[in-house]
Amino acid sequence: MAPPPSPSCCPRAPLRTAVLGATGLVGQRLVALLEDHPWFELAALAASPASTGRPYGEAVRWSLPHTLPARVATMELRPASPELEARVVFSALDADVAGPIERALAATGAWVFSNAATHRMHPAVPLLVAEVNPDHLALVGRQDFGPGAIVANPNCTTAGLVLALAPLAEAFGLRRVQLVTMQARSGAGLVGGTGLSLEDNLLPHIAGEEEKVESEVARILGACGEDGVQPHDLALSATCTRVAVTDGHTLCASVQLGREAGAEELIAAWEGFGAGSGSSGLPTAPRHPTRYEPAPDAPQPASHVELDGGMRTTVGRLRPCSVLDWKFTALTHNLVRGAAGGALLGAELAVARGLVPSG
Ligand code: NAP
């Protein structure tokens, strides 16, 4: 693990920063997290052609409990294009449109931190969870997008799940994972979420989600070497469902470990995870990326999803599994750890490592 960043790693002046898809659910979280950020200056906001030219405060259906900052409300929405002249770009675009826009920005020298699925499995793009695989940032040296770079944030379910699995993989090895998810409505976005019939209902299918989780977890837990990432050889079988929860994905996992381990050892692995990792001390780093909650009815979205600023995966209900070794329940904030906060922490890590040029 790399040592925590020293103050000399911080940029001398805040870096000019843009948010693409700023009016969406992930974009709004990015706007809120970037306002008053010590390293990034929120300089430009972009959305679809239908919103371009409008003041942000008029175009956005602001969904956060705190008031939209007045300065941001008056910012004019711009096209998602290279003319944004930003050093750092956070993309919260749909995968349908993200590819060419993100590559065009990287070609102009921007460092693009993306929440879209488009580049996640590109062999030269780090699929980054700052506490889990910071060494994968080295992949940017293999990119040919231009003077900038693209770093991908995983799928919202993957991001939370790997914070529960990585401590076990590190301490005991990990062979098999059986996963069932109960995912929040906000995971479908502003547009996708409106069409969901979730009243007195559950949706047993989320298009593409299970395949994404299965491939992304193996990539993130994989080893990064001279030939790129060698995916972890664990077997993961996922069933993903959508439920009538506003924010927070609940994950029920059964795991087979590489060696025998007792409950106390698993809990110690979760509780000790992240201490001294390369992301400790970064502005958005949670105090506890993974925490075990012993109450028998924990974790619950209503009680635990906002802990540590929404950047924590809360694990609970650890008990023996009669099919594999152990089973547990984990909870993660899909819009924060699974999207905006995770991407921001990744950007902070890249800046702290001196990878993002300041000029
Ligand atoms: P969303 O609420 O539907 O927002 C989509 C955003 O993209 C809006 O700002 C929209 O602008 C903009 N947009 C749409 N078409 C565009 C175009 N042609 N050019 C430029 N901007 C365009 O979606 P979301 O939930 O925030 O998700 C954003 C991305 O993050 C997606 O790729 C999603 O898969 C990923 N993600 C989402 C979550 C989650 O929990 N929701 C978690 C992880 C990753 P207008 O308002 O002008 O239409």
Side-chain angles (χ1 to χ4, degrees), residues 69-343:
R71 179 187 83 86
V72 181
T74 58
M75 287 173 72
E76 185 179 306
L77 281 163
R78 300 177 54 186
S81 71
E83 284 74 55
L84 292 171
E85 289 172 2
R87 169 63 56 200
V88 174
V89 172
F90 291 98
S91 169
L93 294 174
D94 289 332
D96 294 352
V97 297
I101 297 171
E102 293 177 356
R103 286 194 297 277
L105 279 153
T108 67
W111 272 67
V112 180
F113 295 87
S114 176
N115 290 287
T118 316
H119 296 106
R120 284 183 195 150
M121 302 309 280
H122 187 294
V125 171
L127 183 58
L128 185 68
V129 176
E131 297 93 337
V132 174
N133 61 344
D135 56 314
H136 289 206
L137 267 178
L139 287 176
V140 295
R142 306 163 70 91
Q143 293 186 3
D144 58 2
F145 298 122
I150 298 175
V151 177
N153 209 31
N155 166 282
C156 41
T157 302
T158 307
L161 178 65
V162 292
L163 287 171
L165 296 181
L168 306 183
E170 268 183 23
F172 318 112
L174 192 57
R175 290 193 180 144
R176 292 199 280 178
V177 181
Q178 185 79 46
L179 177 75
V180 177
T181 72
M182 288 153 279
Q183 301 184 205
R185 172 188 284 274
S186 61
L190 262 179
V191 179
T194 49
L196 301 180
S197 47
L198 282 169
E199 194 177 331
D200 194 21
N201 197 19
L202 170 155
L203 299 177
H205 177 240
I206 304 174
E209 190 81 353
E210 293 161 0
E211 295 82 356
K212 284 182 198 162
V213 174
E214 291 169 3
S215 58
E216 291 179 19
V217 168
R219 182 170 168 84
I220 293 165
L221 296 182
C224 187
E226 284 189 357
D227 297 328
V229 173
Q230 179 65 40
H232 194 291
D233 63 359
L234 85 167
L236 195 167
S237 173
T239 298
C240 296
T241 75
R242 184 83 65 201
V243 296
V245 167
T246 303
D247 295 326
H249 292 354
T250 301
L251 319 170
C252 297
S254 294
V255 295
Q256 182 184 45
L257 303 175
R259 70 161 173 87
E260 267 189 33
E264 294 75 16
E265 290 178 275
L266 270 75
I267 291 169
W270 284 318
E271 292 279 294
F273 186 71
S277 82
S279 64
S280 298
L282 294 174
T284 305
R287 207 159 147 245
H288 302 285
T290 310
R291 201 89 215 259
Y292 187 76
E293 175 56 62
D297 58 354
Q300 296 181 26
S303 320
H304 301 98
V305 79
E306 299 289 349
L307 295 177
D308 251 330
M311 287 294 285
R312 168 194 300 187
T313 286
T314 302
V315 184
R317 301 211 61 226
L318 179 65
R319 60 226 191 270
C321 174
S322 54
V323 178
L324 300 179
D325 293 335
W326 291 99
K327 53 186 174 180
F328 58 84
T329 302
L331 171 73
T332 197
H333 200 311
N334 52 296
L335 292 172
V336 184
R337 171 50 86 166

